[in-house]
Amino acid sequence: MKRTRLHHKRQSNQTLADIAKAASVSTATVSRFLNNPDSVRPERAERVRRAVAEMGYVPNGAARALASQRSMTMGAVIPTLDNAIFATGIEAFQRRLYESGYTLLLASFNFDLEEEVRQIAALMERRVDGMLLIGFDHRPEVYAKLDAMGVPYVCSWAFGLDQKSPCVGFDNRDAMRRLTTYLMEIGHRRFAMLAGETAHNDRARDRVLGVRDVLKSKGLDIEADAYRECAYSIRAGRLAMRALMEQSPRPTVVMCGNDVIAFGALLECQSMAIHVPGDVSITGFDDLPLASNLQPALTTLRVPATAMGLRASDHLVSRIAGNSVILQEKLDVELIIRETTAPPGRV
Amino acid sequence: MKRTRLHHKRQSNQTLADIAKAASVSTATVSRFLNNPDSVRPERAERVRRAVAEMGYVPNGAARALASQRSMTMGAVIPTLDNAIFATGIEAFQRRLYESGYTLLLASFNFDLEEEVRQIAALMERRVDGMLLIGFDHRPEVYAKLDAMGVPYVCSWAFGLDQKSPCVGFDNRDAMRRLTTYLMEIGHRRFAMLAGETAHNDRARDRVLGVRDVLKSKGLDIEADAYRECAYSIRAGRLAMRALMEQSPRPTVVMCGNDVIAFGALLECQSMAIHVPGDVSITGFDDLPLASNLQPALTTLRVPATAMGLRASDHLVSRIAGNSVILQEKLDVELIIRETTAPPGRV
DNA sequence: CTGTTAGCGCCTTCAA
DNA sequence: TTGAAGGCGCTAACAG
């Protein structure tokens, strides 16, 4: 393969002044035309329009941002793109932003809150007009800096009236309560949980709390050795499930922190020849596309990832525009009962 | 939920001048300290460092970009984030960019090339210093604009020496040739293909060509009714697979455009009680984490998504820095033979 | 509705 | 090594 030095002579692009001259108007008029076409008399607007088209003019966003104090750019800092549910949410967020004239600056921090601080700092330097965060668990300096700089932000993927932060999300705890209640109703009593790692992760923590809320109200709990935390990966789910099922007595149901862990659990059962739901029931969280396609199809909670991305975008755009918004918006999580859950069999 | 109007008084942040005053130096010195600390005498550097820390100074990226003509921002325009393999590549790309001081501007276009033109235009306005594209199929105006503005770009997810564009990718066609050759070696002759949609998608097209290359060299081909295109989704894969298997004679092997389609095909076989690989072999492309976990585990081609993201970042950063780079870099695709392929059974 | 004219905050010669 | 000063390209009063 040949190595070559390419000289990228950053072309001296056209500027507003060039267009103004070509169209025989002032730079102010060109600027107005660009930002609010109707404020320019049709005849001259047409002249400007043509000059812009002919000269292939591309406005300089940096200059625009500096002068207007708005970058038309929005930041999002997420744990990882490797989890499909985040990817879906971000996809929707970006699409909606674009429709509103904004561009997405994206960063991920791999569930490391210190790294998140740095990524957020980088976005603040780029002067994002608003910021999307996941959950409420963030280093205090994050909130401090965001407030100090007056950057509007919204937390998603979670909801809590006790929180002071604006949010567009769903109630992880309540969702898990509903699922747990259902499981108890069909007769389960011996619960196990394969939770996501709860350190620095309020969503994972709330999901565990939701399960415990319901169990405790009936005088039950998850036994110490029936509770495990693992990474959000199929492999981690499999390993944890295997360890769990090698104990006895076995639980009658295993609730997983998300669908990916549940996939791992389910797959491991297949290779251990443990029948689901005959021998053990399994539940997930998210409702990824795969959940409904696996055999048996996964009982889970449907997270409104797309709706959340859209609403979060609208929330930020509205606030920046100075409009009133719902400060804490709660979206619904749907309980999806499929085939991996059934009343407990032989006790 | 209460609606509230939040007034985000865009705080009048500190500027270079404020820091300069506090540290009793000129703005030039502060600027130098920020961009090249060693060019400032230690004693004064320390004064500046302290002022910056105490005052919580955050440089204004827009001003910096305007003055330096570099935004320290890189664009990426991808088909969709909903395909895990893209998400993985972008994740790596972003991480590496960050290490080099760049921030990622991300846009997706849902496989619609007109939409891609618009998304790219938006990124060009934001004055990205470089751009990552997927594949070679783009509207001519994209290349024209990129060249006219002197924005370095690199195409990924594909490789072709006949292409004039810089790229960091892999050879889709050759990869499929290898897989097809293997299938013929173990005895297959009746091939079917569930390709991705090939219109405006050179990667999907190349994968089909690769299969045909090998078949034709043996005087074979994919029969017309054994070739179908479908979206990259489990559902589309299932539907296409069902239609395919309702015909007769059935193919002995079904090659899929990617793993997601293959998952659909495999799952559909399960619900149709068609044994894989006994009744039919199935292959994928990508090697998503799920591929090795399904039962039977999927035979597929491993795409170096992470490596590609890293290399693409390095490529762009190097070129911007004026260093020489490998203009067309080819990464390897690994043939992963697992359990969904076997010699054809009953003929 | 349109033109004139200050900046926006920082970088980068140029001289010292 | 440092400071002074002129832009970078655009927006947003302000006047007309």
Side-chain angles (χ1 to χ4, degrees):
Chain A
M1 305 183 201
K2 63 173 182 292
R3 272 189 164 253
T4 310
R5 182 166 316 217
L6 283 194
H7 278 295
H8 270 279
K9 59 262 153 222
R10 184 48 102 169
Q11 228 99 335
S12 61
N13 298 304
Q14 318 285 351
T15 70
L16 253 200
D18 298 325
I19 304 299
K21 195 181 308 171
S24 312
V25 298
S26 69
T27 59
T29 295
V30 179
S31 175
R32 287 192 195 99
F33 170 78
L34 260 23
N35 296 302
N36 183 9
D38 294 334
S39 69
V40 172
R41 188 169 307 176
E43 165 226 354
R44 330 187 84 206
E46 175 54 20
R47 289 220 304 276
V48 176
R49 197 196 54 66
R50 236 179 15 228
V52 167
E54 280 173 9
M55 305 174 69
Y57 170 70
V58 177
N60 183 318
R64 182 177 275 190
L66 182 57
S68 68
Q69 302 285 52
R70 315 191 308 123
S71 66
M72 295 310 282
T73 248
M74 213 76 91
V77 185
I78 62 173
T80 175
L81 229 33
D82 273 334
N83 188 326
I85 200 73
F86 286 130
T88 297
I90 289 298
E91 170 94 18
F93 184 63
Q94 187 267 328
R95 181 144 303 149
R96 197 87 174 91
L97 282 181
Y98 174 74
E99 291 168 5
S100 307
Y102 286 85
T103 292
L104 171 70
L105 276 161
L106 180 68
S108 64
F109 57 90
N110 198 30
F111 293 99
D112 172 351
L113 292 189
E114 298 303 338
E115 174 69 9
E116 185 191 30
V117 172
R118 280 176 243 125
Q119 297 285 355
I120 288 176
L123 296 192
M124 308 259 295
E125 281 197 24
R126 267 69 179 185
R127 285 301 194 270
V128 291
D129 292 333
M131 187 104 76
L132 175 74
L133 301 176
I134 302 294
F136 296 114
D137 264 16
H138 306 284
R139 291 277 178 258
E141 57 260 48
V142 167
Y143 290 114
K145 203 77 180 173
L146 248 13
D147 288 339
M149 304 268 306
V151 176
Y153 63 88
V154 61
C155 298
S156 60
W157 245 268
F159 178 86
L161 283 174
D162 51 322
Q163 299 288 339
K164 57 291 147 201
S165 302
C167 63
V168 172
F170 55 89
D171 191 327
N172 288 279
R173 187 166 179 167
D174 181 60
M176 271 306 218
R177 280 199 203 109
R178 282 158 49 211
L179 176 53
T180 309
T181 299
Y182 164 74
L183 293 169
M184 292 204 66
E185 281 171 5
I186 61 175
H188 288 281
R189 291 298 177 273
R190 281 212 309 282
F191 284 73
M193 184 155 188
L194 262 31
E197 285 164 6
T198 56
H200 321 308
N201 185 329
D202 52 301
R203 288 87 62 208
R205 253 185 343 259
D206 277 353
R207 293 177 191 180
V208 176
L209 288 174
V211 174
R212 294 208 142 114
D213 285 346
V214 176
L215 292 182
K216 283 183 176 159
S217 74
K218 304 289 180 188
L220 297 174
D221 200 352
I222 305 174
E223 299 297 322
D225 58 2
Y227 175 82
R228 297 182 128 76
E229 297 191 357
C230 59
Y232 289 130
S233 74
I234 292 181
R235 184 180 153 69
R238 290 188 76 139
L239 292 175
M241 188 65 177
R242 172 167 292 262
L244 201 62
M245 299 311 279
E246 280 171 347
Q247 300 171 178
S248 71
R250 284 179 173 172
T252 59
V253 58
V254 178
M255 298 182 72
C256 300
N258 78 356
D259 278 5
V260 177
I261 294 176
F263 295 156
L266 189 52
L267 263 10
E268 188 64 22
C269 282
Q270 290 183 2
S271 63
M272 289 178 81
I274 293 173
H275 187 258
V276 178
D279 297 325
V280 65
S281 288
I282 291 178
T283 66
F285 201 117
D286 281 349
D287 194 29
L288 298 181
L290 191 61
S292 56
N293 282 289
L294 280 181
Q295 212 157 19
L298 185 68
T299 290
T300 190
L301 291 155
R302 178 173 299 162
V303 161
T306 296
M308 213 159 32
L310 301 177
R311 297 296 307 139
S313 172
D314 288 346
H315 174 107
L316 289 171
V317 170
S318 291
R319 255 168 75 194
I320 291 169
N323 298 324
S324 70
V325 300
I326 297 168
L327 269 192
Q328 323 232 75
E329 183 170 353
K330 182 163 152 184
L331 302 182
D332 288 331
V333 172
E334 192 182 347
L335 176 57
I336 310 281
I337 297 170
R338 290 199 273 245
E339 306 158 2
T340 56
T341 47
R346 40 185 168 287
V347 179
Chain B
M1 305 184 201
K2 63 171 181 294
R3 271 187 165 256
T4 309
R5 182 167 316 220
L6 283 194
H7 278 294
H8 268 280
K9 61 268 158 212
R10 182 48 103 168
Q11 229 98 335
S12 62
N13 298 304
Q14 318 286 351
T15 72
L16 256 200
D18 297 324
I19 304 300
K21 195 181 309 170
S24 312
V25 298
S26 69
T27 58
T29 296
V30 179
S31 176
R32 289 194 193 97
F33 170 77
L34 260 23
N35 296 302
N36 183 8
D38 294 335
S39 69
V40 172
R41 189 168 306 177
E43 166 225 355
R44 328 187 86 204
E46 175 57 20
R47 290 220 303 275
V48 175
R49 197 198 54 67
R50 233 176 20 226
V52 166
E54 280 173 7
M55 306 173 69
Y57 170 69
V58 177
N60 182 319
R64 181 177 276 192
L66 182 58
S68 68
Q69 303 283 53
R70 315 192 307 123
S71 66
M72 294 311 284
T73 249
M74 214 77 91
V77 185
I78 63 172
T80 174
L81 230 33
D82 273 334
N83 188 327
I85 201 73
F86 287 129
T88 297
I90 289 298
E91 171 94 17
F93 183 65
Q94 186 267 327
R95 182 145 301 149
R96 199 87 173 93
L97 282 181
Y98 174 74
E99 291 169 4
S100 306
Y102 286 85
T103 292
L104 170 70
L105 276 161
L106 180 68
S108 63
F109 57 90
N110 198 29
F111 293 98
D112 172 352
L113 292 189
E114 298 304 338
E115 174 69 8
E116 185 191 31
V117 172
R118 280 175 243 124
Q119 298 284 356
I120 288 177
L123 296 193
M124 307 261 292
E125 281 197 25
R126 266 67 178 188
R127 285 302 193 272
V128 291
D129 292 333
M131 187 104 76
L132 174 75
L133 301 177
I134 302 294
F136 295 115
D137 265 15
H138 306 284
R139 291 280 179 253
E141 57 260 46
V142 167
Y143 290 114
K145 203 76 181 174
L146 247 11
D147 288 338
M149 303 268 305
V151 176
Y153 63 89
V154 62
C155 298
S156 61
W157 245 265
F159 178 86
L161 284 174
D162 52 319
Q163 300 287 340
K164 58 292 146 201
S165 303
C167 63
V168 172
F170 55 90
D171 190 328
N172 288 278
R173 187 164 178 169
D174 182 60
M176 271 307 218
R177 280 199 203 109
R178 283 158 48 211
L179 177 53
T180 308
T181 298
Y182 164 74
L183 292 169
M184 292 204 66
E185 281 170 5
I186 62 174
H188 288 280
R189 292 297 178 271
R190 282 212 308 282
F191 285 72
M193 184 155 187
L194 261 33
E197 285 163 7
T198 58
H200 322 306
N201 185 330
D202 54 300
R203 287 88 64 209
R205 248 178 356 250
D206 278 353
R207 293 177 191 180
V208 176
L209 288 175
V211 174
R212 293 210 141 114
D213 285 345
V214 176
L215 291 182
K216 284 185 177 158
S217 74
K218 305 288 180 188
L220 297 174
D221 200 351
I222 305 174
E223 300 296 322
D225 58 3
Y227 175 81
R228 297 184 128 77
E229 296 191 358
C230 59
Y232 290 130
S233 75
I234 291 181
R235 185 181 152 70
R238 291 188 75 140
L239 292 175
M241 188 66 178
R242 171 167 292 261
L244 202 61
M245 299 310 280
E246 280 171 346
Q247 300 172 177
S248 71
R250 283 178 174 173
T252 59
V253 57
V254 178
M255 299 182 71
C256 301
N258 78 355
D259 278 5
V260 177
I261 294 176
F263 294 156
L266 189 53
L267 264 9
E268 187 64 22
C269 282
Q270 289 184 2
S271 64
M272 288 177 82
I274 294 174
H275 187 257
V276 178
D279 298 325
V280 65
S281 287
I282 291 177
T283 68
F285 201 118
D286 281 348
D287 194 29
L288 298 182
L290 191 61
S292 56
N293 283 289
L294 278 182
Q295 213 157 21
L298 185 67
T299 289
T300 189
L301 291 155
R302 179 174 297 162
V303 161
T306 296
M308 212 158 34
L310 301 177
R311 298 296 307 139
S313 172
D314 289 345
H315 174 108
L316 289 171
V317 171
S318 290
R319 255 167 75 195
I320 291 170
N323 299 324
S324 71
V325 300
I326 297 168
L327 268 192
Q328 322 233 73
E329 184 171 352
K330 182 163 153 183
L331 302 183
D332 288 330
V333 172
E334 192 181 347
L335 175 57
I336 310 280
I337 297 169
R338 288 198 274 245
E339 306 160 2
T340 56
T341 47
R346 40 186 166 287
V347 180

